[in-house]
Amino acid sequence: MRDKIDSLADIREKANRPPNVFDYILIEICGETIPEDERAYTDLIISSERTEEYITLISSIKEEYKKIEDLLIQDNVLYAIEKSKPYQKKYGDTLSIKDPDNLIRWVKKNIKESEDLEHLPPLTNDDIRKPELYPYGWWIPSKIPAKTFQSGASTGKPAYIPYSIADYEIACMYAAEGLKKYANVQEGDKVLLLVPPDPHPYGPACSCALEKIGCVPIWKHFKNFSTEQILSQIEEVKPDVLITAPHGPKGAAGALDVLLKTDQEMGTNILPIYLKNKKIVSGGAPINKELVDELYGEVYVKRIVNGYGSAQVMGAYSTLTKRKRNDNVRFFSEVEIPSGYWVVTPINDEEAPEGWSRYGITVLGREIMPIIKFDHGDYGMVDLENRKIEDICRVEWFFKNPDGTITVKIPPKVNTCISEV
């Protein structure tokens, strides 16, 4: 038996996992082979000597996204239905194909490119939380996770999401590429993280990504800290980058709006001093344009970067530039679809305003819990031509006013630091 794989088409059968973007980079771009042995393969992924090369290559494949999606998509769907009985049942019930062999034949005939995902039903949080499947029913039997995370439980019970080493390392490489590209994070930067640690993925993934870049991630155990104490930490640490949630209902002492309001009311003026010409990475909820204007105009931050994702799909980033909106939407939330990692499929929703839709996210290569067309329950303006999802907001937080304006109302009970939006 050969111990090397030189074709993407052989990975599902020989390595017993779905092909991912890392396989594409090694085989199609670098002209290398893939070890069949799992340990040898993961050693290659986490090789610190090649981390910078891999991040650079991720940046270079932006224009090849369609080629990558179409090369990988069928094997990812086949892997899901071959290994996961819940996927077999879900697709079989929807397509009226009860026999697994016939379902496999249907996929081989009908799922040949990324657009074909429109024929499949979305995976939802309700699916994941079904009593007979919760919490581990969607995990592939016999596959042992290297890490597990939980969703923020903003809409119900938390989802328990497993990651193999490859799943996690590739997600963190994409996070590193996004932080470098959009936040202009540099080697040696001090980054203060006011985000939740394990079991939520946002903090750990950011920290891992920052380490890959050569930054200094600085954690503060802020859960029981007051806003005043967190402001004093910013004064003490003097971060080059701040990673936090934008808005804070009661208890979210480290959220941007709470920090800014308290700093202004106390007259301490810490934020304009220590965040001037610095970067803020905002994650956890849409950020209203008034707060964006204040951060640019009164705190003098250099750049605000918007992050989006969940335990199910991990994340993506885009920069919120200094720009005026030409519509009546009162908030910002937009990301670039990460090429080779996410396939985004618009989902029709008759309740959505014109131009908006729900959408499913497929994570290419997810090994222990395949993620095929996962529907967060969000609205967004999906621009596939420019690889963007704009104005992202949970369906239940989205309100169209009588005058045509659109606002986002985040429930007080929701701690946006750990929401999925």
Side-chain angles (χ1 to χ4, degrees), residues 393-417:
C393 175
R394 290 214 71 84
V395 169
E396 63 267 28
W397 296 355
F398 183 101
F399 291 88
K400 186 170 183 179
N401 304 311
D403 63 359
T405 59
I406 295 171
T407 59
V408 173
K409 298 179 182 178
I410 302 173
K413 66 179 181 178
V414 174
N415 184 333
T416 59
C417 289

